[in-house]
Amino acid sequence: MKRPDVLIALAIFAALAAAPFIGFGQGYSLTLLARAMIFGMAAISLSLLVGGGGLVSLGHAAMLGVGAYAVVVLDHARITEAWMVVPVGIGAAALFALVTGAIAIRTSGVHFIMITLAFGQMAFFTTSSLALYGGDDGYTLYNRLEVFGSRALERGIVFHFTCLGLLIAVWALVRALLHSRFGRVLQAARDNETRARAVGFEPYPYRLAAYVIAGAIGGLSGVLLANAAEFVAPAYLAWQRSGDLLFMVILGGLSGPHGALMGALAFVLIEEWLAKLTEHWRLIFGPLLIFCVFFMRGGIAGLLRRG
């Protein structure tokens, strides 16, 4: 019998697959859904740290930014082949996560939050100073990535299903990790670090590996986000974006990657809906999010579970 989290995720994937054929086939609608799926991948990667390892990061947007700026650097050099750009974006973000994580993972609690915030802001100010790539004004890509010389990703529906396929792969990977021995050690260290050490597991290498994996997935999200907007700016790395990602995880629930997925989709779609209603949508969105934190214990996933 399938687990409820699997059924929920499969239902979401089926709805996203059907969306282009049931009224969401217009260009803007497909772009919005692609953006929601990209942030869904980033939120799922963050849920590996927050839900799996108890590592609350306020610098996760830096991983997206590193992946996005890898696209910028290669685009500026007129390198636009996906088979070259995507691995570079993922590798750059994973390397950034390895270097910063090696230091950050040695701390915990508030200290970990603050040091990830510091690393994220360092990356933000670094990209802001890159005059060659637009500085504060950002950089506009010449075109989306090519696939063996083909510009198929320029077509909205192709890009939509590319994002969906990668989203499913990321969800399956993170879920498999959390249900593996690796994930059980992470969760044991989250619940009681002293007891995990007592039974022979040193948490540090497991946490660092999870941090690097989350960073690599964040880099993939950044590559896709750069191509979705065909524009990259330092704002991608700002701490506010990290806060958005963290809230997506909390909104969806910490029970697994399906919760982060639901939180990301809800966050992006509600934000867009409110922005259409009024230019002062933030005055509604902020209290709405606070209401969800107070009255939806366990997030959307917890609400569905109780329902």
Side-chain angles (χ1 to χ4, degrees), residues 30-31 34 71 80-83 85-86 143-164 166 223-224 226-230:
L30 282 180
T31 301
V71 176
T80 57
E81 271 291 346
W83 67 268
V85 177
V86 175
N143 49 259
R144 285 182 178 174
L145 294 179
E146 299 176 359
V147 183
F148 299 107
S150 168
R151 293 191 175 181
L153 293 180
E154 296 284 352
R155 298 177 56 199
I157 194 164
V158 174
F159 190 73
H160 174 86
F161 280 102
T162 299
C163 290
L164 178 57
L166 292 172
V223 171
L224 293 172
N227 280 272
E230 297 184 49

PDB file of all heavy atoms in Angstrom, residues 30-31 34 71 80-83 85-86 143-164 166 223-224 226-230:
ATOM      1  N   LEU A  30       2.246  29.154 -17.845  1.00  0.00           N
ATOM      2  CA  LEU A  30       3.287  28.136 -17.842  1.00  0.00           C
ATOM      3  C   LEU A  30       4.548  28.644 -17.145  1.00  0.00           C
ATOM      4  O   LEU A  30       5.212  27.908 -16.419  1.00  0.00           O
ATOM      5  CB  LEU A  30       3.624  27.713 -19.270  1.00  0.00           C
ATOM      6  CG  LEU A  30       2.643  26.750 -19.948  1.00  0.00           C
ATOM      7  CD1 LEU A  30       3.113  26.428 -21.358  1.00  0.00           C
ATOM      8  CD2 LEU A  30       2.490  25.464 -19.140  1.00  0.00           C
ATOM      9  N   THR A  31       4.868  29.919 -17.348  1.00  0.00           N
ATOM     10  CA  THR A  31       6.030  30.506 -16.685  1.00  0.00           C
ATOM     11  C   THR A  31       5.838  30.517 -15.174  1.00  0.00           C
ATOM     12  O   THR A  31       6.770  30.217 -14.408  1.00  0.00           O
ATOM     13  CB  THR A  31       6.277  31.941 -17.195  1.00  0.00           C
ATOM     14  OG1 THR A  31       6.496  31.908 -18.608  1.00  0.00           O
ATOM     15  CG2 THR A  31       7.480  32.562 -16.509  1.00  0.00           C
ATOM     16  N   ALA A  34       6.196  26.985 -13.898  1.00  0.00           N
ATOM     17  CA  ALA A  34       7.605  26.601 -13.931  1.00  0.00           C
ATOM     18  C   ALA A  34       8.340  27.227 -12.749  1.00  0.00           C
ATOM     19  O   ALA A  34       9.146  26.566 -12.081  1.00  0.00           O
ATOM     20  CB  ALA A  34       8.242  27.037 -15.244  1.00  0.00           C
ATOM     21  N   VAL A  71      25.389  30.122 -14.868  1.00  0.00           N
ATOM     22  CA  VAL A  71      24.769  30.282 -16.186  1.00  0.00           C
ATOM     23  C   VAL A  71      25.192  31.611 -16.810  1.00  0.00           C
ATOM     24  O   VAL A  71      25.501  31.687 -18.010  1.00  0.00           O
ATOM     25  CB  VAL A  71      23.227  30.218 -16.063  1.00  0.00           C
ATOM     26  CG1 VAL A  71      22.573  30.473 -17.419  1.00  0.00           C
ATOM     27  CG2 VAL A  71      22.780  28.876 -15.513  1.00  0.00           C
ATOM     28  N   THR A  80      26.239  27.851 -24.162  1.00  0.00           N
ATOM     29  CA  THR A  80      24.828  27.716 -23.811  1.00  0.00           C
ATOM     30  C   THR A  80      24.316  26.281 -23.939  1.00  0.00           C
ATOM     31  O   THR A  80      23.096  26.064 -23.893  1.00  0.00           O
ATOM     32  CB  THR A  80      23.961  28.642 -24.705  1.00  0.00           C
ATOM     33  OG1 THR A  80      24.196  28.325 -26.083  1.00  0.00           O
ATOM     34  CG2 THR A  80      24.287  30.104 -24.462  1.00  0.00           C
ATOM     35  N   GLU A  81      25.200  25.325 -24.113  1.00  0.00           N
ATOM     36  CA  GLU A  81      24.770  23.930 -24.207  1.00  0.00           C
ATOM     37  C   GLU A  81      24.425  23.395 -22.812  1.00  0.00           C
ATOM     38  O   GLU A  81      25.229  23.490 -21.881  1.00  0.00           O
ATOM     39  CB  GLU A  81      25.861  23.066 -24.828  1.00  0.00           C
ATOM     40  CG  GLU A  81      25.790  22.979 -26.331  1.00  0.00           C
ATOM     41  CD  GLU A  81      24.571  22.193 -26.827  1.00  0.00           C
ATOM     42  OE1 GLU A  81      23.934  21.493 -26.020  1.00  0.00           O
ATOM     43  OE2 GLU A  81      24.271  22.285 -28.022  1.00  0.00           O
ATOM     44  N   ALA A  82      23.229  22.830 -22.671  1.00  0.00           N
ATOM     45  CA  ALA A  82      22.750  22.364 -21.370  1.00  0.00           C
ATOM     46  C   ALA A  82      23.678  21.325 -20.761  1.00  0.00           C
ATOM     47  O   ALA A  82      23.914  21.338 -19.543  1.00  0.00           O
ATOM     48  CB  ALA A  82      21.343  21.800 -21.518  1.00  0.00           C
ATOM     49  N   TRP A  83      24.233  20.422 -21.584  1.00  0.00           N
ATOM     50  CA  TRP A  83      25.077  19.352 -21.044  1.00  0.00           C
ATOM     51  C   TRP A  83      26.372  19.891 -20.450  1.00  0.00           C
ATOM     52  O   TRP A  83      27.029  19.207 -19.665  1.00  0.00           O
ATOM     53  CB  TRP A  83      25.366  18.307 -22.113  1.00  0.00           C
ATOM     54  CG  TRP A  83      26.214  18.766 -23.256  1.00  0.00           C
ATOM     55  CD1 TRP A  83      25.769  19.299 -24.438  1.00  0.00           C
ATOM     56  CD2 TRP A  83      27.638  18.732 -23.353  1.00  0.00           C
ATOM     57  NE1 TRP A  83      26.833  19.603 -25.259  1.00  0.00           N
ATOM     58  CE2 TRP A  83      28.000  19.265 -24.625  1.00  0.00           C
ATOM     59  CE3 TRP A  83      28.654  18.301 -22.503  1.00  0.00           C
ATOM     60  CZ2 TRP A  83      29.309  19.386 -25.048  1.00  0.00           C
ATOM     61  CZ3 TRP A  83      29.980  18.415 -22.928  1.00  0.00           C
ATOM     62  CH2 TRP A  83      30.294  18.948 -24.172  1.00  0.00           C
ATOM     63  N   VAL A  85      26.448  23.457 -19.219  1.00  0.00           N
ATOM     64  CA  VAL A  85      26.067  24.484 -18.242  1.00  0.00           C
ATOM     65  C   VAL A  85      25.480  23.875 -16.973  1.00  0.00           C
ATOM     66  O   VAL A  85      25.837  24.285 -15.861  1.00  0.00           O
ATOM     67  CB  VAL A  85      25.068  25.480 -18.870  1.00  0.00           C
ATOM     68  CG1 VAL A  85      24.620  26.513 -17.833  1.00  0.00           C
ATOM     69  CG2 VAL A  85      25.693  26.179 -20.062  1.00  0.00           C
ATOM     70  N   VAL A  86      24.592  22.911 -17.122  1.00  0.00           N
ATOM     71  CA  VAL A  86      23.916  22.345 -15.942  1.00  0.00           C
ATOM     72  C   VAL A  86      24.907  21.703 -14.963  1.00  0.00           C
ATOM     73  O   VAL A  86      24.863  21.995 -13.760  1.00  0.00           O
ATOM     74  CB  VAL A  86      22.816  21.348 -16.376  1.00  0.00           C
ATOM     75  CG1 VAL A  86      22.212  20.665 -15.142  1.00  0.00           C
ATOM     76  CG2 VAL A  86      21.718  22.074 -17.159  1.00  0.00           C
ATOM     77  N   ASN A 143      19.783  33.871 -24.562  1.00  0.00           N
ATOM     78  CA  ASN A 143      18.658  32.960 -24.812  1.00  0.00           C
ATOM     79  C   ASN A 143      18.759  31.809 -23.806  1.00  0.00           C
ATOM     80  O   ASN A 143      19.729  31.705 -23.049  1.00  0.00           O
ATOM     81  CB  ASN A 143      18.684  32.409 -26.247  1.00  0.00           C
ATOM     82  CG  ASN A 143      20.029  31.857 -26.667  1.00  0.00           C
ATOM     83  OD1 ASN A 143      20.772  32.531 -27.369  1.00  0.00           O
ATOM     84  ND2 ASN A 143      20.361  30.639 -26.220  1.00  0.00           N
ATOM     85  N   ARG A 144      17.744  30.974 -23.791  1.00  0.00           N
ATOM     86  CA  ARG A 144      17.753  29.824 -22.887  1.00  0.00           C
ATOM     87  C   ARG A 144      18.780  28.794 -23.369  1.00  0.00           C
ATOM     88  O   ARG A 144      19.301  28.869 -24.474  1.00  0.00           O
ATOM     89  CB  ARG A 144      16.369  29.178 -22.828  1.00  0.00           C
ATOM     90  CG  ARG A 144      15.372  29.976 -22.008  1.00  0.00           C
ATOM     91  CD  ARG A 144      14.029  29.285 -21.917  1.00  0.00           C
ATOM     92  NE  ARG A 144      13.094  30.045 -21.090  1.00  0.00           N
ATOM     93  CZ  ARG A 144      11.818  29.737 -20.922  1.00  0.00           C
ATOM     94  NH1 ARG A 144      11.304  28.673 -21.547  1.00  0.00           N
ATOM     95  NH2 ARG A 144      11.054  30.482 -20.149  1.00  0.00           N
ATOM     96  N   LEU A 145      19.032  27.830 -22.515  1.00  0.00           N
ATOM     97  CA  LEU A 145      20.014  26.802 -22.843  1.00  0.00           C
ATOM     98  C   LEU A 145      19.591  26.011 -24.079  1.00  0.00           C
ATOM     99  O   LEU A 145      18.395  25.810 -24.330  1.00  0.00           O
ATOM    100  CB  LEU A 145      20.174  25.841 -21.658  1.00  0.00           C
ATOM    101  CG  LEU A 145      20.781  26.428 -20.377  1.00  0.00           C
ATOM    102  CD1 LEU A 145      20.854  25.351 -19.302  1.00  0.00           C
ATOM    103  CD2 LEU A 145      22.157  27.010 -20.635  1.00  0.00           C
ATOM    104  N   GLU A 146      20.586  25.573 -24.816  1.00  0.00           N
ATOM    105  CA  GLU A 146      20.343  24.717 -25.969  1.00  0.00           C
ATOM    106  C   GLU A 146      20.576  23.265 -25.578  1.00  0.00           C
ATOM    107  O   GLU A 146      21.392  22.963 -24.702  1.00  0.00           O
ATOM    108  CB  GLU A 146      21.290  25.098 -27.116  1.00  0.00           C
ATOM    109  CG  GLU A 146      21.100  26.524 -27.605  1.00  0.00           C
ATOM    110  CD  GLU A 146      22.108  26.907 -28.674  1.00  0.00           C
ATOM    111  OE1 GLU A 146      22.958  26.054 -29.007  1.00  0.00           O
ATOM    112  OE2 GLU A 146      22.043  28.036 -29.169  1.00  0.00           O
ATOM    113  N   VAL A 147      19.841  22.371 -26.210  1.00  0.00           N
ATOM    114  CA  VAL A 147      19.995  20.934 -25.974  1.00  0.00           C
ATOM    115  C   VAL A 147      20.532  20.310 -27.252  1.00  0.00           C
ATOM    116  O   VAL A 147      19.790  20.084 -28.206  1.00  0.00           O
ATOM    117  CB  VAL A 147      18.652  20.286 -25.564  1.00  0.00           C
ATOM    118  CG1 VAL A 147      18.863  18.809 -25.253  1.00  0.00           C
ATOM    119  CG2 VAL A 147      18.058  21.006 -24.366  1.00  0.00           C
ATOM    120  N   PHE A 148      21.863  20.082 -27.279  1.00  0.00           N
ATOM    121  CA  PHE A 148      22.541  19.554 -28.465  1.00  0.00           C
ATOM    122  C   PHE A 148      22.203  20.376 -29.713  1.00  0.00           C
ATOM    123  O   PHE A 148      21.846  19.838 -30.763  1.00  0.00           O
ATOM    124  CB  PHE A 148      22.185  18.082 -28.669  1.00  0.00           C
ATOM    125  CG  PHE A 148      22.596  17.217 -27.521  1.00  0.00           C
ATOM    126  CD1 PHE A 148      21.645  16.697 -26.638  1.00  0.00           C
ATOM    127  CD2 PHE A 148      23.937  16.932 -27.276  1.00  0.00           C
ATOM    128  CE1 PHE A 148      22.017  15.901 -25.563  1.00  0.00           C
ATOM    129  CE2 PHE A 148      24.318  16.146 -26.202  1.00  0.00           C
ATOM    130  CZ  PHE A 148      23.363  15.627 -25.346  1.00  0.00           C
ATOM    131  N   GLY A 149      22.282  21.695 -29.556  1.00  0.00           N
ATOM    132  CA  GLY A 149      22.055  22.604 -30.671  1.00  0.00           C
ATOM    133  C   GLY A 149      20.609  22.994 -30.881  1.00  0.00           C
ATOM    134  O   GLY A 149      20.326  23.928 -31.634  1.00  0.00           O
ATOM    135  N   SER A 150      19.679  22.307 -30.210  1.00  0.00           N
ATOM    136  CA  SER A 150      18.256  22.615 -30.371  1.00  0.00           C
ATOM    137  C   SER A 150      17.820  23.628 -29.315  1.00  0.00           C
ATOM    138  O   SER A 150      18.264  23.576 -28.159  1.00  0.00           O
ATOM    139  CB  SER A 150      17.426  21.340 -30.224  1.00  0.00           C
ATOM    140  OG  SER A 150      16.051  21.645 -30.094  1.00  0.00           O
ATOM    141  N   ARG A 151      16.937  24.524 -29.694  1.00  0.00           N
ATOM    142  CA  ARG A 151      16.394  25.511 -28.760  1.00  0.00           C
ATOM    143  C   ARG A 151      14.996  25.109 -28.300  1.00  0.00           C
ATOM    144  O   ARG A 151      14.096  25.939 -28.164  1.00  0.00           O
ATOM    145  CB  ARG A 151      16.366  26.895 -29.397  1.00  0.00           C
ATOM    146  CG  ARG A 151      17.760  27.451 -29.662  1.00  0.00           C
ATOM    147  CD  ARG A 151      17.729  28.907 -30.045  1.00  0.00           C
ATOM    148  NE  ARG A 151      19.067  29.452 -30.180  1.00  0.00           N
ATOM    149  CZ  ARG A 151      19.329  30.720 -30.502  1.00  0.00           C
ATOM    150  NH1 ARG A 151      18.321  31.554 -30.740  1.00  0.00           N
ATOM    151  NH2 ARG A 151      20.575  31.134 -30.598  1.00  0.00           N
ATOM    152  N   ALA A 152      14.849  23.830 -28.023  1.00  0.00           N
ATOM    153  CA  ALA A 152      13.537  23.316 -27.619  1.00  0.00           C
ATOM    154  C   ALA A 152      13.047  23.948 -26.327  1.00  0.00           C
ATOM    155  O   ALA A 152      11.834  24.116 -26.122  1.00  0.00           O
ATOM    156  CB  ALA A 152      13.609  21.792 -27.459  1.00  0.00           C
ATOM    157  N   LEU A 153      13.968  24.317 -25.424  1.00  0.00           N
ATOM    158  CA  LEU A 153      13.562  24.890 -24.138  1.00  0.00           C
ATOM    159  C   LEU A 153      12.933  26.268 -24.286  1.00  0.00           C
ATOM    160  O   LEU A 153      12.353  26.792 -23.328  1.00  0.00           O
ATOM    161  CB  LEU A 153      14.761  24.963 -23.192  1.00  0.00           C
ATOM    162  CG  LEU A 153      15.341  23.628 -22.730  1.00  0.00           C
ATOM    163  CD1 LEU A 153      16.530  23.850 -21.806  1.00  0.00           C
ATOM    164  CD2 LEU A 153      14.277  22.784 -22.030  1.00  0.00           C
ATOM    165  N   GLU A 154      13.064  26.884 -25.481  1.00  0.00           N
ATOM    166  CA  GLU A 154      12.391  28.152 -25.735  1.00  0.00           C
ATOM    167  C   GLU A 154      10.872  27.968 -25.742  1.00  0.00           C
ATOM    168  O   GLU A 154      10.125  28.913 -25.494  1.00  0.00           O
ATOM    169  CB  GLU A 154      12.845  28.745 -27.068  1.00  0.00           C
ATOM    170  CG  GLU A 154      14.315  29.118 -27.130  1.00  0.00           C
ATOM    171  CD  GLU A 154      14.634  30.400 -26.376  1.00  0.00           C
ATOM    172  OE1 GLU A 154      13.693  31.083 -25.935  1.00  0.00           O
ATOM    173  OE2 GLU A 154      15.825  30.700 -26.213  1.00  0.00           O
ATOM    174  N   ARG A 155      10.421  26.752 -26.037  1.00  0.00           N
ATOM    175  CA  ARG A 155       8.980  26.465 -26.043  1.00  0.00           C
ATOM    176  C   ARG A 155       8.517  26.261 -24.608  1.00  0.00           C
ATOM    177  O   ARG A 155       9.062  25.460 -23.859  1.00  0.00           O
ATOM    178  CB  ARG A 155       8.683  25.223 -26.881  1.00  0.00           C
ATOM    179  CG  ARG A 155       9.056  25.360 -28.348  1.00  0.00           C
ATOM    180  CD  ARG A 155       8.801  24.065 -29.081  1.00  0.00           C
ATOM    181  NE  ARG A 155       7.415  23.631 -28.943  1.00  0.00           N
ATOM    182  CZ  ARG A 155       6.991  22.387 -29.168  1.00  0.00           C
ATOM    183  NH1 ARG A 155       7.862  21.449 -29.537  1.00  0.00           N
ATOM    184  NH2 ARG A 155       5.725  22.072 -29.026  1.00  0.00           N
ATOM    185  N   GLY A 156       7.482  26.973 -24.240  1.00  0.00           N
ATOM    186  CA  GLY A 156       7.001  26.954 -22.864  1.00  0.00           C
ATOM    187  C   GLY A 156       6.643  25.573 -22.359  1.00  0.00           C
ATOM    188  O   GLY A 156       6.985  25.199 -21.226  1.00  0.00           O
ATOM    189  N   ILE A 157       5.969  24.782 -23.187  1.00  0.00           N
ATOM    190  CA  ILE A 157       5.503  23.476 -22.724  1.00  0.00           C
ATOM    191  C   ILE A 157       6.680  22.514 -22.541  1.00  0.00           C
ATOM    192  O   ILE A 157       6.665  21.674 -21.628  1.00  0.00           O
ATOM    193  CB  ILE A 157       4.449  22.894 -23.691  1.00  0.00           C
ATOM    194  CG1 ILE A 157       3.726  21.718 -23.015  1.00  0.00           C
ATOM    195  CG2 ILE A 157       5.067  22.482 -25.015  1.00  0.00           C
ATOM    196  CD1 ILE A 157       2.444  21.327 -23.691  1.00  0.00           C
ATOM    197  N   VAL A 158       7.714  22.647 -23.372  1.00  0.00           N
ATOM    198  CA  VAL A 158       8.904  21.799 -23.216  1.00  0.00           C
ATOM    199  C   VAL A 158       9.612  22.142 -21.915  1.00  0.00           C
ATOM    200  O   VAL A 158      10.018  21.254 -21.151  1.00  0.00           O
ATOM    201  CB  VAL A 158       9.848  21.957 -24.414  1.00  0.00           C
ATOM    202  CG1 VAL A 158      11.146  21.188 -24.180  1.00  0.00           C
ATOM    203  CG2 VAL A 158       9.174  21.478 -25.692  1.00  0.00           C
ATOM    204  N   PHE A 159       9.758  23.434 -21.642  1.00  0.00           N
ATOM    205  CA  PHE A 159      10.409  23.864 -20.403  1.00  0.00           C
ATOM    206  C   PHE A 159       9.578  23.435 -19.193  1.00  0.00           C
ATOM    207  O   PHE A 159      10.128  23.022 -18.164  1.00  0.00           O
ATOM    208  CB  PHE A 159      10.589  25.378 -20.416  1.00  0.00           C
ATOM    209  CG  PHE A 159      11.450  25.891 -19.303  1.00  0.00           C
ATOM    210  CD1 PHE A 159      12.820  25.694 -19.316  1.00  0.00           C
ATOM    211  CD2 PHE A 159      10.889  26.561 -18.228  1.00  0.00           C
ATOM    212  CE1 PHE A 159      13.624  26.163 -18.279  1.00  0.00           C
ATOM    213  CE2 PHE A 159      11.681  27.031 -17.191  1.00  0.00           C
ATOM    214  CZ  PHE A 159      13.053  26.837 -17.211  1.00  0.00           C
ATOM    215  N   HIS A 160       8.259  23.501 -19.312  1.00  0.00           N
ATOM    216  CA  HIS A 160       7.363  23.086 -18.234  1.00  0.00           C
ATOM    217  C   HIS A 160       7.600  21.619 -17.863  1.00  0.00           C
ATOM    218  O   HIS A 160       7.784  21.287 -16.677  1.00  0.00           O
ATOM    219  CB  HIS A 160       5.909  23.286 -18.664  1.00  0.00           C
ATOM    220  CG  HIS A 160       4.892  22.756 -17.694  1.00  0.00           C
ATOM    221  ND1 HIS A 160       4.414  23.483 -16.625  1.00  0.00           N
ATOM    222  CD2 HIS A 160       4.262  21.545 -17.611  1.00  0.00           C
ATOM    223  CE1 HIS A 160       3.546  22.769 -15.944  1.00  0.00           C
ATOM    224  NE2 HIS A 160       3.432  21.584 -16.516  1.00  0.00           N
ATOM    225  N   PHE A 161       7.631  20.755 -18.862  1.00  0.00           N
ATOM    226  CA  PHE A 161       7.791  19.329 -18.574  1.00  0.00           C
ATOM    227  C   PHE A 161       9.228  18.978 -18.192  1.00  0.00           C
ATOM    228  O   PHE A 161       9.458  17.998 -17.484  1.00  0.00           O
ATOM    229  CB  PHE A 161       7.303  18.488 -19.760  1.00  0.00           C
ATOM    230  CG  PHE A 161       5.804  18.341 -19.786  1.00  0.00           C
ATOM    231  CD1 PHE A 161       5.027  19.094 -20.649  1.00  0.00           C
ATOM    232  CD2 PHE A 161       5.170  17.476 -18.916  1.00  0.00           C
ATOM    233  CE1 PHE A 161       3.642  18.968 -20.655  1.00  0.00           C
ATOM    234  CE2 PHE A 161       3.784  17.339 -18.912  1.00  0.00           C
ATOM    235  CZ  PHE A 161       3.016  18.093 -19.778  1.00  0.00           C
ATOM    236  N   THR A 162      10.176  19.786 -18.632  1.00  0.00           N
ATOM    237  CA  THR A 162      11.554  19.606 -18.157  1.00  0.00           C
ATOM    238  C   THR A 162      11.627  19.887 -16.662  1.00  0.00           C
ATOM    239  O   THR A 162      12.223  19.113 -15.897  1.00  0.00           O
ATOM    240  CB  THR A 162      12.511  20.544 -18.911  1.00  0.00           C
ATOM    241  OG1 THR A 162      12.473  20.238 -20.311  1.00  0.00           O
ATOM    242  CG2 THR A 162      13.931  20.387 -18.402  1.00  0.00           C
ATOM    243  N   CYS A 163      11.022  20.992 -16.236  1.00  0.00           N
ATOM    244  CA  CYS A 163      10.996  21.334 -14.810  1.00  0.00           C
ATOM    245  C   CYS A 163      10.240  20.272 -14.011  1.00  0.00           C
ATOM    246  O   CYS A 163      10.666  19.887 -12.912  1.00  0.00           O
ATOM    247  CB  CYS A 163      10.343  22.701 -14.603  1.00  0.00           C
ATOM    248  SG  CYS A 163      11.316  24.093 -15.197  1.00  0.00           S
ATOM    249  N   LEU A 164       9.140  19.769 -14.562  1.00  0.00           N
ATOM    250  CA  LEU A 164       8.357  18.754 -13.866  1.00  0.00           C
ATOM    251  C   LEU A 164       9.162  17.471 -13.701  1.00  0.00           C
ATOM    252  O   LEU A 164       9.170  16.868 -12.617  1.00  0.00           O
ATOM    253  CB  LEU A 164       7.056  18.481 -14.627  1.00  0.00           C
ATOM    254  CG  LEU A 164       6.143  17.390 -14.037  1.00  0.00           C
ATOM    255  CD1 LEU A 164       5.766  17.704 -12.595  1.00  0.00           C
ATOM    256  CD2 LEU A 164       4.892  17.218 -14.901  1.00  0.00           C
ATOM    257  N   LEU A 166      12.419  17.110 -13.608  1.00  0.00           N
ATOM    258  CA  LEU A 166      13.479  17.329 -12.634  1.00  0.00           C
ATOM    259  C   LEU A 166      12.919  17.438 -11.218  1.00  0.00           C
ATOM    260  O   LEU A 166      13.541  16.978 -10.253  1.00  0.00           O
ATOM    261  CB  LEU A 166      14.279  18.578 -12.997  1.00  0.00           C
ATOM    262  CG  LEU A 166      15.120  18.463 -14.275  1.00  0.00           C
ATOM    263  CD1 LEU A 166      15.712  19.819 -14.662  1.00  0.00           C
ATOM    264  CD2 LEU A 166      16.237  17.430 -14.077  1.00  0.00           C
ATOM    265  N   VAL A 223      19.984  27.276 -11.902  1.00  0.00           N
ATOM    266  CA  VAL A 223      20.139  27.164 -13.358  1.00  0.00           C
ATOM    267  C   VAL A 223      18.783  27.281 -14.049  1.00  0.00           C
ATOM    268  O   VAL A 223      18.625  28.006 -15.040  1.00  0.00           O
ATOM    269  CB  VAL A 223      20.820  25.828 -13.722  1.00  0.00           C
ATOM    270  CG1 VAL A 223      20.777  25.600 -15.238  1.00  0.00           C
ATOM    271  CG2 VAL A 223      22.263  25.801 -13.231  1.00  0.00           C
ATOM    272  N   LEU A 224      17.805  26.576 -13.515  1.00  0.00           N
ATOM    273  CA  LEU A 224      16.461  26.612 -14.109  1.00  0.00           C
ATOM    274  C   LEU A 224      15.807  27.974 -13.933  1.00  0.00           C
ATOM    275  O   LEU A 224      15.125  28.470 -14.841  1.00  0.00           O
ATOM    276  CB  LEU A 224      15.589  25.523 -13.475  1.00  0.00           C
ATOM    277  CG  LEU A 224      15.992  24.078 -13.794  1.00  0.00           C
ATOM    278  CD1 LEU A 224      15.183  23.109 -12.942  1.00  0.00           C
ATOM    279  CD2 LEU A 224      15.784  23.770 -15.279  1.00  0.00           C
ATOM    280  N   ALA A 226      17.282  30.889 -13.700  1.00  0.00           N
ATOM    281  CA  ALA A 226      17.903  31.818 -14.644  1.00  0.00           C
ATOM    282  C   ALA A 226      17.305  31.659 -16.032  1.00  0.00           C
ATOM    283  O   ALA A 226      17.063  32.654 -16.741  1.00  0.00           O
ATOM    284  CB  ALA A 226      19.413  31.576 -14.687  1.00  0.00           C
ATOM    285  N   ASN A 227      17.036  30.424 -16.439  1.00  0.00           N
ATOM    286  CA  ASN A 227      16.464  30.182 -17.765  1.00  0.00           C
ATOM    287  C   ASN A 227      14.979  30.512 -17.827  1.00  0.00           C
ATOM    288  O   ASN A 227      14.484  30.925 -18.874  1.00  0.00           O
ATOM    289  CB  ASN A 227      16.706  28.726 -18.161  1.00  0.00           C
ATOM    290  CG  ASN A 227      18.104  28.484 -18.677  1.00  0.00           C
ATOM    291  OD1 ASN A 227      18.375  28.626 -19.864  1.00  0.00           O
ATOM    292  ND2 ASN A 227      19.021  28.140 -17.778  1.00  0.00           N
ATOM    293  N   ALA A 228      14.281  30.335 -16.716  1.00  0.00           N
ATOM    294  CA  ALA A 228      12.855  30.668 -16.702  1.00  0.00           C
ATOM    295  C   ALA A 228      12.646  32.163 -16.906  1.00  0.00           C
ATOM    296  O   ALA A 228      11.778  32.591 -17.680  1.00  0.00           O
ATOM    297  CB  ALA A 228      12.227  30.217 -15.380  1.00  0.00           C
ATOM    298  N   ALA A 229      13.447  32.981 -16.206  1.00  0.00           N
ATOM    299  CA  ALA A 229      13.305  34.429 -16.301  1.00  0.00           C
ATOM    300  C   ALA A 229      14.165  35.022 -17.416  1.00  0.00           C
ATOM    301  O   ALA A 229      13.948  36.167 -17.822  1.00  0.00           O
ATOM    302  CB  ALA A 229      13.693  35.067 -14.972  1.00  0.00           C
ATOM    303  N   GLU A 230      15.170  34.246 -17.878  1.00  0.00           N
ATOM    304  CA  GLU A 230      16.179  34.736 -18.829  1.00  0.00           C
ATOM    305  C   GLU A 230      16.841  36.001 -18.306  1.00  0.00           C
ATOM    306  O   GLU A 230      17.218  36.906 -19.050  1.00  0.00           O
ATOM    307  CB  GLU A 230      15.563  34.956 -20.219  1.00  0.00           C
ATOM    308  CG  GLU A 230      15.043  33.664 -20.846  1.00  0.00           C
ATOM    309  CD  GLU A 230      14.521  33.856 -22.263  1.00  0.00           C
ATOM    310  OE1 GLU A 230      15.254  34.475 -23.073  1.00  0.00           O
ATOM    311  OE2 GLU A 230      13.413  33.399 -22.552  1.00  0.00           O
TER     312      GLU A 230
END
